[in-house]
Amino acid sequence: MATYRLTQAGHELNYGFRRHARLALEALGPTFTKEQALEKLSVLQDLGQLGKGTPKSFWRRFACLGAHAKRKAFIELAPH
């Protein structure tokens, strides 16, 4: 099973809904699976702390697209 971790750019998220998502993912520990992350993000969605996004859309933006202007991924595959 693939494990992921936050990149340096991911640890620096300190604004809005991205900050909430960062804090939730950091609570999972240094590495986490996609399923764990989606579960944590769905809790945020239930609490209204994820904005208009869904857990899957946040995962996609965090892992693939990164910041809209800087295009840095916030999540990367952890080395084995």
Side-chain angles (χ1 to χ4, degrees):
M1 184 173 286
T3 57
Y4 298 86
R5 66 180 180 186
L6 286 173
T7 64
Q8 185 60 37
H11 283 292
E12 295 171 356
L13 293 172
N14 286 318
Y15 47 91
F17 297 116
R18 290 185 184 104
R19 179 179 182 271
H20 297 304
R22 174 187 57 87
L23 292 173
L25 295 177
E26 284 179 342
L28 292 173
T31 61
F32 46 85
T33 65
K34 181 178 179 178
E35 291 75 26
Q36 289 172 320
L38 290 176
E39 183 179 318
K40 216 40 156 162
L41 293 173
S42 68
V43 171
L44 288 179
Q45 185 180 26
D46 294 344
L47 296 173
Q49 295 181 346
L50 202 56
K52 295 179 181 178
T54 65
K56 286 185 180 182
S57 70
F58 257 78
W59 177 264
R60 188 171 132 320
R61 284 184 282 165
F62 269 48
C64 300
L65 301 177
H68 296 289
K70 297 179 183 174
R71 297 289 188 212
K72 292 181 182 176
F74 299 135
I75 295 174
E76 66 184 359
L77 271 171
H80 294 108

